[in-house]
């Protein structure tokens, strides 16, 4: 269990304790949605994004952008 002692919660999508890997995963699916949907195995995982409201998607994309900028620095 790689998450056992971690301060982040992989079950939270947004907020201060949201896991950065979870945030980046959702952002990956958002940025590559058309390509992902063509692969049957990936399309099933991407279907979870349809359950998110527009505000949650916006929050995830903004946080992912900040994380990528931090990692690129």
């Amino acid at each position: 269990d790689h998450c056992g002692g971690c301060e982040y919660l992989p079950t939270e999508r947004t907020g201060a304790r949201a896991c950065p890997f979870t945030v980046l995963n959702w952002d990956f699916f958002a940025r590559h949605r058309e390509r992902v949907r063509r692969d049957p195995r990936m399309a099933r995982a991407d279907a979870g994004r349809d359950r998110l409201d527009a505000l949650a998607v916006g929050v995830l994309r903004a946080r992912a952008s900040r994380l990528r900028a931090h990692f690129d620095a």
Side-chain angles (χ1 to χ4, degrees):
D1 179 10
H2 299 289
C3 299
C6 184
E7 66 184 84
Y8 297 109
L9 300 174
T11 56
E12 291 189 20
R13 289 187 196 108
T14 60
R17 299 205 50 207
C19 175
F21 292 108
T22 301
V23 170
L24 292 169
N25 183 59
W26 282 105
D27 182 61
F28 174 86
F29 280 107
R31 288 185 295 120
H32 301 285
R33 187 156 212 200
E34 292 307 314
R35 186 174 184 189
V36 166
R37 289 196 138 183
R38 290 191 299 256
D39 182 319
R41 290 173 291 170
M42 297 296 283
R44 186 170 182 203
D46 178 62
R49 185 184 179 277
D50 292 336
R51 293 190 305 266
L52 299 178
D53 61 33
L55 178 61
V57 171
V59 169
L60 286 167
R61 303 281 313 261
R63 177 134 190 254
S65 179
R66 289 190 306 271
L67 285 167
R68 285 194 313 275
H70 173 75
F71 294 136
D72 289 342

